[in-house]
Each structure stands twice: as structure tokens, then as C-alpha cells.
Amino acid sequence: MKVLVVGSGGREHAIAWKLTNCNNVDSVFVAPGNPGTKSCAENVAIAADDIPSLLEFARRKEIDITIVGPEKPLVDGIVDRFREASLAIVGPTASAARLEGSKAFAKDFMKKYGVPTATYKTFSRSQYQEATAFLDAHEIPVVIKASGLAAGKGAVVCATRREAEETLRQMLHDRAFGSASDEVVIEEFMVGEEASVFALCDGESYVLFSPAQDHKQIGEGDTGPNTGGMGAYAPASVVTEQVLGRVRKEIIDPVLEGMSKEGCPFTGFLFVGLMLTEVGPKVVEFNCRLGDPETQVILPLLETNFADLLRKSATENLNMSSIDFHDGNAACVVMASGGYPGSYRKGVEITGLEEANSRPDTIVFQAGTANEDGRLVTAGGRVLNVVGTGTSLSDALTKAYSGIETINFERAVYRRDIGKKGLKRQAAGIDH
Ligand code: AMP
Ligand code: GLY
């Protein structure tokens, strides 16, 4: 099988690595990839959102299956274009990708099909006055979200009324996110622990991967601004079998049924961002792709042939498929450039990667890196994902952190408390 992976982050490095290790995969191409994907696959110099060039490449190379990492090409209709050309691709159509691309669509859809989520109201630019009045009467904290894609920065949890008013003004009035905030969702603040669940879907059937937990904030103890994700671990024991049963019945089943009824069956990865509240699991958001850094911990645990699962998803053939996982745990610690998620330096030399990769059960997935005059240098905010696997969460974390100790680049930052909630849960004996 020849596979094309679209994207250039740590998620795509993990996908390419996993596919390279499938016995029925002959070649893996990554567009555009990064120095990490170059070490295990073949990089192709095509941008992830250049749909016509990706299509031409897939045709010319007779790619058997394409998997898309980031949301933008999905929302832009890459799956529609590939299907029109009879090329197999994993992901939702543009219409189904609205679950991520339009928060207003996702919220209205959840309401219509009874999927548990925060109560909300949507406002367009012309309704600024109504939105202000609604906000005045709303309890604090409140969450305000730009409806469109805003690179993970479009949701603001407002702890004070002043902050809420200011956020609303910036989004709806000042168009802080361009057209993404032409419509905003004002919603109830939910209290609970968050977790990520991934379903690979074929329109009707699905398989579930190990639930994972992300660490969105830059600072230890979940403080400071949100980032793309500073670390993850899987399985996330907070998602017990019982919780997972509810997620299937109350969320994933009605979503797949509802999307079919709406005429846009969901294919590809449905990423359910969950809040585990006192009254049960509720949806924080949907994404239409795999998570980053969650992928870096769920794929090392997957035992079933990943390429087979992808092929089945693209050919409406997941019904009755089983999915198996290795025993044990995986943990990922992100090393970022000092200053991220604000401004940071690029081009800083990275050393010690080979040493980390040579350690048992340790693998480094690269994200914001580049090759410059034969040296590996930083090229982004999130630079490296150091992943450890082990028989327990603490074993996996020990391996990830000892991998980090061998790696150096100036002003590197990482959180020292990845997996802490999971460890606490174990210590308290509330693990299942
Ligand atoms: P989103 O972009 O919708 O995933 O939101 C980003 C982050 O904001 C989430 O991971 C949560 O931590 C937080 N958040 C979003 N919506 C809510 C909500 N209704 N209640 C509490 N926290 C939320
Ligand atoms: N880790 C969260 C995301 O990929 O959006």
C-alpha cells in the first residue's frame, strides 16, 4: 500500500511512523512533513492546504490512501475533491467538517439531536446589541467562542463581566478573528475534568481509540494561556468503561445518525472534546481530525494494523471491525520554544535527539523543527514531542522525562506535571 499523509506537525510524524511500521505499507509520503518525517518516510514539498497539487501528486503516484492531519484542508473540501477523482481518503467532507469548522453549526446540531453540551446562544455581527444584553443577564464565568476556525484561539473563558464584555466587543465588533468571529457562540461554563475521545468512522460504524488527556495550558497546574497542547497521556483513566459507554450512547451514536440524516455522513476521525461533569459527559467541542499531541500517545498503544483501519474508514467497511491495544500506557511531553504561545526565537540548534531516541521505549516526534546547514534547529512554538511507553503511567512518564534530559536547545520549556491528574487518580485508588 502507498500512503500519503498531509501535514507537518508532531501528529503527522506519529502517523507516518505508525504507518511505516505496518507490514502491508510499502511507502509513506508526507506533504510537506518535517525533518522527523523525513527520517521515516519521504517528504513531498507540497503545502497541506494546496489541494490541487496534493490531488495531482496522489494521482501521479497512484496513492492507495491519503490521511489528512490538520483541519483546514478538510474544512476546505479536500475529501470532496479526492472522492470526485475516485481516490481513497480518510476524513470528512467539507459539509461534515462543519462540526469543527462552524461552532454555530455544531451547537445547533447537538441541540437538534439531543447531544449533551453547554447551553448556548449564537449571535451574528448585526446582533451585537442583543448579544450584549444576553451577556449582561448571563452568569459568570461564561465562555465566548468565535464560530469559525481560529487556530485553537477562538474560545475564551471569561472569569469577570468586564472580560466578557471586552471579549465580545473584540470578536463581534472589532472582528479580532476576521470572518471566523462574524458569528459568536456565548455558552455556559462547564465544570469538570476534560478528556479527548477519538472515533474513526465510516459514515455509519466506528471504532474507538484509547481515550487521552491533553494539557492545554502553558503553565504547570493548568495556568496561563492556552496552547496547542503541552503534553498528553493515554489511556486517560478518568474515562472509565462506564463513561465510555455513555459517550458512545449519548454522543457518538446520535452524532453519526444525525449527520447521516442531515445528508452529510461523518467519515474519518471524530475527535470529541469532553467535559466530564457531575451529571455525565458533555461535549466541549468536536474536531474532525486527530488531536495533537493526543495522536502521539494513542498510536504507540494501537496494536491493530493502522493502515487497514484507515482503508476501512475510507471504504465504508468498518462494520464489525475490532480494534486492539497493547497493554500499558503512553505519555508525551512537549518541548516548546521559550515565549510560546507568545513570540519566540527560531533557528536555535537542537542537540541530543539521537540519544533520546536510542533509549528503550522512548521516541521523539518532531513538530516545529527544520534542517539548516546540516543542523537540526527550532522552527516553531511546539518543537518536539518526547514520548515514553511503559507498563504504568508513571513508567511511561519516567521514560518521557528522562528522554527530555538528553535533549538541549536554548530557552526550551516544558511542563513538569504532565499526567499528574492520572497519577493522583491512581494514588487515590479510583482507577478502574
Ligand atoms: P474549544 O476551542 O472549544 O476546545 O475550547 C478551548 C478550551 O476552552 C477547552 O479545552 C476548555 O478548556 C475551555 N472551554 C471551552 N468551552 C468551555 C465550556 N463551555 N466550559 C468550560 N470550559 C470550556
Ligand atoms: N490537542 C487538541 C487539538 O488537537 O485540538
Side-chain angles (χ1 to χ4, degrees):
M1 226 191 288
K2 285 189 211 165
V3 190
L4 170 63
V5 181
V6 177
S8 62
R11 169 182 50 205
E12 288 75 20
H13 187 181
I15 293 171
W17 164 82
K18 191 70 185 180
L19 287 169
T20 306
N21 287 308
C22 292
N23 54 17
N24 53 351
V25 171
D26 306 305
S27 33
V28 179
F29 299 92
V30 190
N34 64 36
T37 59
K38 199 174 171 186
S39 67
C40 67
E42 192 175 321
N43 283 354
V44 184
I46 302 174
D49 55 3
D50 182 356
I51 297 176
S53 302
L54 291 168
L55 189 61
E56 191 277 322
F57 177 83
R59 257 205 200 117
R60 183 162 45 83
K61 286 283 184 179
E62 298 179 338
I63 297 291
D64 295 294
I65 190 135
T66 297
I67 167 167
V68 185
E71 60 277 12
K72 179 146 192 314
L74 294 166
V75 170
D76 288 348
I78 189 170
V79 169
D80 308 70
R81 299 290 88 74
F82 270 57
R83 285 195 189 151
E84 282 157 16
S86 301
L87 287 167
I89 184 163
V90 181
T93 58
S95 176
R98 282 180 298 166
L99 277 184
E100 173 164 4
S102 165
K103 290 195 194 281
F105 171 82
K107 296 296 289 191
D108 291 347
F109 172 84
M110 284 189 268
K111 192 171 178 185
K112 182 166 174 188
Y113 291 96
V115 176
T117 187
T119 55
Y120 75 103
K121 210 163 158 61
T122 303
F123 299 92
S124 63
R125 278 199 80 200
S126 60
Q127 296 171 304
Y128 182 54
Q129 297 308 330
E130 287 103 304
T132 310
F134 179 79
L135 196 57
D136 279 348
H138 202 289
E139 330 184 319
I140 298 291
V142 63
V143 186
I144 307 182
K145 298 181 178 180
S147 179
L149 290 184
K153 295 185 180 114
V156 184
V157 176
C158 304
T160 64
R161 205 159 280 289
R162 226 184 115 183
E163 190 187 353
E165 281 161 12
E166 178 66 15
T167 303
L168 183 68
R169 192 178 55 75
Q170 280 175 359
M171 283 194 189
L172 211 52
H173 192 267
D174 303 346
R175 303 190 75 208
F177 295 94
S179 59
S181 64
D182 276 352
E183 210 172 17
V184 300
V185 173
I186 301 181
E187 70 176 34
E188 166 206 11
F189 175 76
M190 299 184 284
V191 178
E193 199 169 322
E194 284 182 70
S196 310
V197 167
F198 299 91
L200 178 61
C201 313
D202 70 2
E204 273 182 21
S205 309
Y206 64 93
V207 288
L208 281 186
F209 286 70
S210 309
Q213 193 165 54
D214 188 8
H215 297 65
K216 292 193 188 198
Q217 283 161 288
I218 186 75
E220 283 161 28
D222 297 332
T223 53
N226 268 349
T227 68
M230 292 300 292
Y233 66 96
S237 55
V238 67
V239 185
T240 59
E241 279 304 319
Q242 196 222 350
V243 171
L244 212 51
R246 288 190 67 173
V247 170
R248 281 178 179 276
K249 196 160 159 272
E250 296 170 27
I251 300 172
I252 301 174
D253 292 345
V255 167
L256 290 191
E257 236 169 76
M259 290 299 278
S260 288
K261 277 193 191 145
E262 296 294 314
C264 44
F266 193 92
T267 49
F269 285 97
L270 178 67
F271 169 166
V272 186
L274 286 174
M275 186 70 81
L276 303 170
T277 74
E278 244 179 9
V279 295
K282 291 189 180 183
V283 176
V284 177
E285 63 162 352
F286 289 122
N287 295 308
C288 61
R289 52 170 174 85
L290 278 168
D292 187 344
E294 289 95 327
T295 304
Q296 290 86 309
V297 290
I298 62 175
L299 289 187
L301 297 178
L302 176 68
E303 194 176 334
T304 306
N305 184 301
F306 188 43
D308 280 344
L309 289 176
L310 296 180
R311 196 172 36 78
K312 287 179 179 173
S313 156
T315 54
E316 295 177 21
N317 218 352
L318 274 172
N319 190 17
M320 310 292 281
S321 292
S322 59
I323 182 163
D324 296 306
F325 307 101
H326 298 294
D327 287 335
N329 299 253
C332 167
V333 182
V334 171
M335 293 182 85
S337 302
Y340 174 76
S343 58
Y344 50 82
R345 258 180 72 197
K346 290 184 187 174
V348 179
E349 184 167 6
I350 305 167
T351 57
L353 225 59
E354 294 76 22
E355 164 69 19
N357 272 323
S358 69
R359 298 199 164 191
D361 306 326
T362 309
I363 178 158
V364 184
F365 295 122
Q366 299 187 31
T369 60
N371 281 320
E372 213 175 78
D373 311 324
R375 298 171 315 148
L376 186 70
V377 298
T378 63
R382 291 191 294 169
V383 178
L384 299 171
N385 303 264
V386 186
V387 175
T389 51
T391 51
S392 64
L393 175 57
S394 74
D395 187 19
L397 284 163
T398 303
K399 285 175 177 146
Y401 280 112
S402 67
I404 280 199
E405 274 166 28
T406 73
I407 302 172
N408 270 303
F409 60 91
E410 225 176 280
R411 296 205 61 211
V413 291
Y414 62 90
R415 277 180 61 165
R416 288 166 177 76
D417 65 343
I418 301 303
K420 213 166 187 173
K421 283 188 202 140
L423 291 174
K424 257 196 188 154
R425 185 169 294 280
Q426 269 173 4
I430 42 177
D431 208 356
H432 61 296

